[in-house]
Amino acid sequence: MIHSKDIVGLYELSAEEIDELLTQGLAMKKLLRQNIKKLPHLMGKSVTTLFYENSTRTRCSFELAAKYMGAHVVNLSVATSSVQKGETLVDTGKTLDAMRNDVIVIRHPVGGAPKLLARTVKAHVVNAGDGMNEHPSQALLDMLTMREHWGSLKGKTVAILGDIRHSRVAKSNLYGLTKLGAKVRMFAPRTLMPQGLDTMGAEICSSREEAVEGADAVMGLRIQLERQHAGNFPSLGEYARFYGVNDEILKYAKKDALVMHPGPVNRGVELTSAVIDGENSVIEDQVLSGIAVRMSILFLLTKEEIA
Ligand code: CP
């Protein structure tokens, strides 16, 4: 049972709620593996995606998840909407409410925007990434992928490498994984490591080797190419050499460690091509988990009203 009207972050969810989202997500993934894409769970419901930032995986998978369960789906194109005429986020939300829309899936460059929207609309609000704050459905799909491989996350060690500072994925994973009993190690260039994550349960490492040693999963994070001239690291080549994930560094992890990346990946920067396409890589499987977990989110949020 999800107690909140909305899913704005994993910080706000209990371990029990996260566990239920994953359990339902695993059931959805089984159906997807059988190519079952016509389900009644959201029949009569309307879902709007409202993306103020670019996306491939998240927007497409929320749309497919909703459609596979029979919802009406609107993809509101912010670039051609009345947002361009100055309409505020809250007024856009109220307009969608007035249209009897049931769920708004929002991505916004400002941290906290989904929470503000959630407070002001009747519709369920799902955060699809807000600034540097959280990306809860991404972390849920990461955890779903891990749980499918391991059965349980308890006692497992996940190493997260890369641009932690700007990463909403890293923060949501930290909150979710630690709630389910996993250990999270983090390593980044000092310029890309924010302060305070140790107080949230992360083990901050001083080398790649220390982070990856004995890990059950190694997750690379996207380096925003737009930040490469911001002075956080000298060049992409040096970043790849000193901070990237390659076959050499993976020798420190468990032999069957999962190699993960939220995408989109910069080949040869965060991960070498050999690692991306290697036998431990579950990057494509993460994409399927993405649809499954978003089906779970949409279903569990609206379930009580349907029953
Ligand atoms: N992982 C992720 O959020 O990808 P998109 O930006 O393509 O949605």
Side-chain angles (χ1 to χ4, degrees), residues 7 46 65 67 80 108 116 126 132 140 150 158 164 193 197 229 280-281:
I7 294 188
S46 302
K67 284 182 170 167
T80 55
H108 200 283
L116 170 70
V126 182
M132 296 191 279
L140 286 168
W150 302 333
V158 179
I164 310 275
M193 179 63 83
L197 290 184
H229 300 299
N280 289 22
S281 170

Coordinates of all heavy atoms in Angstrom, one line a residue, residues 7 46 65 67 80 108 116 126 132 140 150 158 164 193 197 229 280-281:
I7 N 4.5 10.3 -5.8 CA 5.8 9.8 -5.5 C 6.8 10.9 -6.0 O 7.0 11.1 -7.2 CB 6.1 8.5 -6.3 CG1 5.2 7.4 -5.7 CG2 7.5 8.1 -6.2 CD1 5.4 6.0 -6.2
S46 N -6.4 8.8 -17.0 CA -5.7 9.6 -17.9 C -4.3 10.0 -17.2 O -4.2 10.3 -16.1 CB -6.4 11.0 -18.1 OG -7.7 10.7 -18.6
A65 N 4.2 2.4 -20.3 CA 3.7 1.7 -19.1 C 2.2 2.1 -19.0 O 1.4 1.2 -18.7 CB 4.4 2.2 -17.9
K67 N 0.1 3.1 -21.4 CA -0.6 2.6 -22.5 C -0.8 1.0 -22.4 O -1.9 0.5 -22.7 CB 0.1 2.9 -23.8 CG -0.1 4.4 -24.2 CD 0.5 4.7 -25.5 CE 0.1 6.1 -26.0 NZ 0.9 6.6 -27.1
T80 N 6.0 23.6 -27.0 CA 4.9 24.2 -27.8 C 3.6 24.4 -26.9 O 2.5 24.6 -27.5 CB 4.5 23.2 -29.0 OG1 4.2 22.0 -28.4 CG2 5.7 23.1 -29.9
H108 N 11.6 18.2 -14.3 CA 11.7 19.7 -14.2 C 13.2 20.0 -13.8 O 13.8 19.3 -13.0 CB 10.8 20.3 -13.2 CG 10.5 21.7 -13.3 ND1 11.4 22.7 -12.9 CD2 9.5 22.4 -13.9 CE1 10.9 23.9 -13.2 NE2 9.7 23.7 -13.8
L116 N 6.1 20.9 -5.2 CA 5.2 22.0 -5.3 C 3.9 21.7 -6.0 O 2.8 22.0 -5.6 CB 6.0 23.2 -5.9 CG 5.1 24.4 -6.3 CD1 4.7 25.2 -5.0 CD2 5.9 25.4 -7.2
V126 N 4.0 12.2 -10.2 CA 5.2 11.3 -10.1 C 6.4 12.1 -10.6 O 6.4 12.7 -11.7 CB 5.0 10.1 -11.0 CG1 6.2 9.2 -10.9 CG2 3.7 9.3 -10.6
M132 N 18.9 18.5 -9.3 CA 19.9 17.6 -8.8 C 19.4 16.9 -7.6 O 20.1 16.4 -6.7 CB 21.1 18.5 -8.3 CG 21.8 19.1 -9.5 SD 23.4 19.8 -9.0 CE 22.9 21.3 -8.3
L140 N 14.3 3.1 -8.5 CA 13.4 1.9 -8.4 C 13.7 0.9 -9.4 O 13.8 -0.3 -9.2 CB 11.9 2.3 -8.4 CG 11.4 3.0 -7.1 CD1 10.0 3.6 -7.4 CD2 11.4 2.0 -5.9
W150 N 19.3 -10.9 -7.5 CA 19.8 -11.4 -6.2 C 18.7 -11.9 -5.3 O 19.1 -12.5 -4.2 CB 20.5 -10.2 -5.4 CG 21.6 -9.5 -6.2 CD1 22.5 -10.1 -7.1 CD2 22.1 -8.2 -6.0 NE1 23.4 -9.2 -7.5 CE2 23.2 -8.0 -6.9 CE3 21.7 -7.1 -5.2 CZ2 23.8 -6.8 -7.0 CZ3 22.3 -5.9 -5.4 CH2 23.4 -5.8 -6.2
V158 N 26.8 -1.8 -3.3 CA 26.7 -1.2 -4.6 C 27.6 0.0 -4.6 O 27.6 0.9 -3.8 CB 25.2 -0.7 -4.8 CG1 25.1 0.0 -6.1 CG2 24.2 -1.8 -4.7
I164 N 28.6 12.5 -8.9 CA 27.6 12.3 -7.8 C 27.0 13.7 -7.5 O 25.8 13.7 -7.2 CB 28.3 11.8 -6.5 CG1 29.2 10.6 -6.8 CG2 27.3 11.6 -5.4 CD1 28.6 9.3 -6.8
M193 N 31.9 15.6 -5.9 CA 31.4 14.9 -4.7 C 30.8 15.9 -3.7 O 31.6 16.8 -3.2 CB 32.5 14.1 -4.0 CG 32.1 13.4 -2.8 SD 30.8 12.1 -3.1 CE 31.8 10.8 -3.6
L197 N 26.7 13.4 2.1 CA 26.1 12.2 1.8 C 26.5 11.1 2.7 O 25.7 10.1 2.9 CB 26.4 11.8 0.3 CG 25.7 12.7 -0.8 CD1 26.0 12.1 -2.2 CD2 24.2 12.8 -0.6
H229 N 33.5 21.8 -19.6 CA 34.4 23.0 -19.6 C 34.2 23.8 -18.3 O 34.6 24.9 -18.1 CB 34.0 23.9 -20.8 CG 34.3 23.2 -22.1 ND1 35.5 22.7 -22.4 CD2 33.4 22.8 -23.1 CE1 35.4 22.1 -23.6 NE2 34.2 22.2 -24.0
N280 N 28.7 -8.9 -17.9 CA 28.1 -8.5 -16.6 C 27.2 -7.3 -16.8 O 26.5 -6.9 -15.8 CB 29.3 -8.1 -15.7 CG 30.0 -9.3 -15.2 OD1 30.0 -10.4 -15.9 ND2 30.7 -9.2 -14.0
S281 N 27.2 -6.7 -18.0 CA 26.4 -5.5 -18.2 C 24.9 -5.8 -18.1 O 24.4 -6.8 -18.8 CB 26.7 -4.8 -19.5 OG 25.8 -3.8 -19.8

